[in-house]
Amino acid sequence: MNLLNGIIVKSTGGFYYVEAADSVYECKARGIFRKRNNSPKVGDRVSISVPADGYCSIEEILPRKNTLRRPPLSNIDLLVIVVSTVDPAPNTLIIDKMTAAAVDNDIEPVVVISKSDLKSGDELVEIYRKAGIKAYSYNAEDKDSVDTIRQLLCGKVSAFTGNSGVGKSTLLNLLYPELELATGEISEKLGRGRHTTRTVELFKIGSGYVADTPGFSTVDLERYNMIDKDNIKFCFPEFRDYLTSCQFTSCSHTCEKGCSVIDAVKNGVISESRHQSYVAMYNEVKDIKDWQKK
């Protein structure tokens, strides 16, 4: 019996499909994972046993970088948040909730501005780059901008999200024409806002993967990965240099006198829209009890 290490690229009907040693193996998971309430997820790095006959078996789940309840996905490197300049217009609060949820889950957020040929996305790019978040503007006619984004995804496990009509499938087709059918399915699932439980799958893209995650929405991240009010400030990277220099140690960084974060906003170092999003998110969760987060 051989033991191989690989990555789960699909899970359906109690079977797990593990890419290992340039092949994909159909596997069952050992019952001990279910007993420990730690079932394998797409994206998990695993060790599998490959017998001469019969089913392959997942023997071990290797340490996870991160894991999400919904969509059930592990070890995401990048969350690519696609935002259009027009139709639909960008909503910075929604963008900021997604970037914060990514940071809270040890996922690097990347903001990609589409339809820059219809309206400039430079202002949005500046907001997020100032915040220490990678941000890019592209249009379908600008090959260099698409190449820059493609290079960023090399060797990574990436998940794409964004409102209907922002151009997720268009971008994916530009990045990886060979995935045209798969991205059409992604468009169908994500574009219509269906957030019922569906199969999550990783598609191979060169040296990396892109996750088909129909349940990856702002609503689901808020519901299943709620950020504690005391942790929200750490999900805004541009706040970190100022958090320990406020006049009061109990500062919430929302409205207090002597707040270094607010001073940085007034001085133009931190974008006003980002701070407004932080205040809105803080106020949403400040009175929620721990038992309500379950």
Side-chain angles (χ1 to χ4, degrees):
M1 180 180 296
N2 292 330
L3 286 176
L4 298 174
N5 286 348
I7 181 173
I8 300 177
V9 295
K10 185 177 180 181
S11 169
T12 182
F15 289 93
Y16 299 89
Y17 297 85
V18 178
E19 182 182 293
D22 298 321
S23 298
V24 175
Y25 297 87
E26 185 179 68
C27 303
K28 285 282 194 176
R30 294 178 59 202
I32 192 170
F33 296 120
R34 186 169 57 252
K35 291 179 181 178
R36 293 175 178 174
N37 195 28
N38 186 34
S39 296
K41 296 182 179 182
V42 170
D44 273 336
R45 303 282 176 173
V46 295
S47 177
I48 64 172
S49 58
V50 182
D53 54 33
Y55 286 116
C56 302
S57 176
I58 295 176
E59 301 293 331
E60 180 184 7
I61 299 173
L62 302 180
R64 289 165 169 160
K65 173 183 177 181
N66 52 51
T67 184
L68 299 175
R69 290 176 60 191
R70 179 170 176 177
L73 186 64
S74 294
N75 300 317
I76 308 169
D77 297 309
L78 300 176
L79 175 62
V80 182
I81 304 161
V82 185
V83 183
S84 60
T85 57
V86 294
D87 192 28
N91 183 320
T92 53
L93 176 58
I94 290 177
I95 301 169
D96 295 336
K97 285 184 174 181
M98 295 299 285
T99 62
V103 172
D104 190 53
N105 284 283
D106 196 24
I107 302 167
E108 181 181 2
V110 178
V111 178
V112 173
I113 313 299
S114 66
K115 304 183 184 179
S116 61
D117 54 326
L118 301 179
K119 182 179 178 181
S120 173
D122 291 349
E123 183 178 349
L124 282 171
V125 168
E126 175 63 21
I127 287 173
Y128 292 98
R129 287 186 177 175
K130 182 189 289 188
I133 294 170
K134 291 176 181 175
Y136 303 90
S137 181
Y138 90 96
N139 68 71
E141 305 302 320
D142 184 356
K143 183 177 182 297
D144 288 342
S145 64
V146 175
D147 287 343
T148 297
I149 297 168
R150 185 186 297 112
Q151 185 63 36
L152 182 69
L153 306 181
C154 286
K156 306 288 187 180
V157 177
S158 305
F160 282 65
T161 189
N163 288 336
S164 175
V166 297
K168 292 182 302 293
S169 59
T170 299
L171 175 58
L172 283 163
N173 278 322
L174 288 170
L175 292 168
Y176 307 106
E178 68 274 17
L179 285 184
E180 183 173 356
L181 291 177
T183 56
E185 294 171 4
I186 291 171
S187 179
E188 283 293 302
K189 294 174 184 177
L190 289 179
R192 295 185 183 180
R194 298 176 185 172
H195 304 312
T196 55
T197 301
R198 290 174 178 269
T199 298
V200 178
E201 185 171 358
L202 296 183
F203 294 104
K204 186 74 172 178
I205 49 164
S207 60
Y209 300 86
V210 60
D212 173 1
T213 53
F216 214 144
S217 72
T218 305
V219 172
D220 286 325
L221 278 176
E222 285 186 277
R223 178 179 176 186
Y224 293 99
N225 302 277
M226 189 175 293
I227 305 172
D228 186 271
K229 75 178 191 322
D230 294 325
N231 290 335
I232 295 176
K233 58 182 177 287
F234 299 116
C235 299
F236 285 72
E238 67 272 42
F239 287 14
R240 292 174 184 172
D241 289 342
Y242 305 95
L243 295 177
T244 59
S245 54
C246 295
Q247 183 175 347
F248 304 105
T249 56
S250 60
C251 186
S252 69
H253 316 293
T254 57
C255 60
E256 293 89 344
K257 179 181 178 181
C259 174
S260 293
V261 171
I262 292 176
D263 287 344
V265 174
K266 291 177 179 177
N267 293 330
V269 180
I270 293 175
S271 297
E272 186 174 353
S273 68
R274 290 278 292 171
H275 185 253
Q276 288 173 345
S277 293
Y278 166 77
V279 173
M281 292 170 63
Y282 182 90
N283 288 334
E284 283 178 2
V285 301
K286 67 178 181 179
D287 295 323
I288 296 179
K289 307 302 181 185
D290 288 343
W291 64 268
Q292 293 176 297
K293 300 174 186 178
K294 304 299 184 182

